[in-house]
Amino acid sequence: MNTSPVSDLFGHPRGLYICFATEMWERFSFYGMKYLLLLYLTKYHLLSDIDGLAVLGSYASLVYGMPVIGGLIADRYLGVRKAVVLGGTFLVMGHIGMAFEGHPAIASTGGVQRDEGALQLLFLSLALIVVGVGFLKPNISAVVGKLYATNDPRRDAGFTIFYMGINTGAFVATLLCGWLGETYGWRYGFGAAGVGMLLGLVIFLWGQRFLEGHGNPPYPQEIRTRFGPITLEQWLYVASVVAVILVWQLIQFNAAVGAALNIVSVGILGWLVWFLARRCDKQARGRMIALVILIVFSVVFWSLFEQAAGSMTLYADRVTDRTLFGVTFTASQFGAAGALFIILLAPAFALLWTRLGARHREPSTPIKFALGIAQAGLGFGALLVGAHFPDEAGRVSAWWLILAYLLHTTGELCLSPVGLSAVTKLAVPSVVGIMMGTWFLATAYSSWVAARLAQLTSGRAGQGIVSQLEGFNTLFGHLMLAGLIAAAILFLATPLLRRLMAGVR
């Protein structure tokens, strides 16, 4: 590996900045449409809240679950470079497709007349994005890791720079695309997201020479082997297109996505029981059980956290006074708050854990999980408090929504990076990849659960502000209690979990 200073830029491999820019624009495209999607479905195509949230839940579940498959295919066959290019191409096609609105739906006494062709194009575009993210997201991170030797002291700093790219893209995209989409037309918001992804793909292709040869197929001769009329590599591309078609249909059937998640979860649970009984000694078994418990509790956190693009976006749109500092923001732009708080607070949390660790006072992993879940619950508590102080029009100040996002972000910083670290520390080395996939499967499952929970507010859609606010308060009250109760249970279980973890913090 070439790590000489000549090839570096500002003390890091030049390839880092190629990956930074690629991922920044990929996240720009992803978040640029994420917070617009539900509003677009319910306000332009006039889907009911229940149907709109079902689509959002299916999409989010699949987009968080697909990277497990995309990562495996890249590791075993394509290599990360080809996988990133394939994923980026699908993403560009998906975002361009979303820019075609079709005719707006028309509500009449006879029902709602929708442009079904435009809706099918939308679902196909979402499927392209799902598969595209599956190939790009896990593999661009892998390239960053390959640019550094295992013991390179710059490694953590490099990933920090990369992580800032993710959140910079998310922050800028949510503000810009949200403003364009809700102010000038949905196609402009979605189109801007597509332009961003195209820039990311161009930068990655242009910067290949700076990646130092990393990311090539692990067995180049194998993927050139012919099976019938085409090579294995070409068969993988055909399978990717088939996957797009399957996801296109799945997105439209939320119950089928839930059933698939349940089947996969039961399968993994069965494998875990067998593995714990047959392949683990006492210490390894205890650590794996502790990890599974933490993953289960992560479902609670992400089910609360993923309300951001669902119920919290509807809350911003329907019952919030969106004026801050004399500027009126669109509902989707409030999704930028989370990314902004990550950018501002992530360095502070990293420093906090380091200093507490130096004094032997750093909280254990279960305590950090409990703190994260509690803060997610308290975020909804902030919205409940704010609901008691509406303005003359019955709307709630946007500052309460900002406070909720702040609490959710501090909760994320307590749980998300700690959870990824816990997987690598607690899992048996031979199954770290499977357990990491299980972690992301839990996130996917949480997105499906989050959408189902948000549907509790749907019965009041279209009613007055007071009635809608009551519906949100009912949901947020349940979510707050769920978060606080789960955090309390985990806090009380911490002594047991620490014994199972056998010295791992």
Side-chain angles (χ1 to χ4, degrees), residues 151-171:
N151 58 350
D152 192 327
R154 305 172 300 167
R155 188 182 183 89
D156 287 350
F159 269 99
T160 300
I161 293 171
F162 179 72
Y163 191 60
M164 295 303 286
I166 294 174
N167 288 286
T168 300
F171 174 68

Side-chain angles (χ1 to χ4, degrees), residues 336-364:
L340 176 62
F341 288 135
I342 285 285
I343 293 171
L344 296 177
L345 297 177
F349 269 75
L351 180 62
L352 173 64
W353 301 140
T354 300
R355 290 191 172 181
L356 288 175
R359 299 176 184 178
H360 305 288
R361 299 179 63 181
E362 182 180 2
S364 64

Side-chain angles (χ1 to χ4, degrees), residues 139 151 197 221 223 238 262 270 319 392 401 403 427 462 466 470 488:
N139 296 309
N151 58 350
M197 187 59 246
Q221 289 300 123
I223 64 171
V238 171
N262 287 332
V319 301
E392 293 181 355
L401 191 58
L403 177 57
V466 173
E470 288 177 354

Side-chain angles (χ1 to χ4, degrees), residues 37 40-41 45 97-98 117-127:
L37 180 57
Y40 176 57
L41 290 169
H45 288 293
M98 292 195 69
L119 268 175
Q120 286 302 313
L121 178 58
L122 168 65
F123 296 141
L124 175 59
S125 300
L126 290 175

Side-chain angles (χ1 to χ4, degrees), residues 443-456:
T443 307
Y445 196 89
S446 304
S447 298
W448 186 83
V449 172
R452 301 292 291 218
L453 290 172
Q455 289 175 339
L456 295 175

Side-chain angles (χ1 to χ4, degrees), residues 212-232:
E212 303 172 8
H214 297 300
N216 291 326
Y219 308 104
Q221 289 300 123
E222 183 177 349
I223 64 171
R224 296 193 192 104
T225 304
R226 298 188 72 85
F227 291 89
I230 58 178
T231 64
L232 173 60

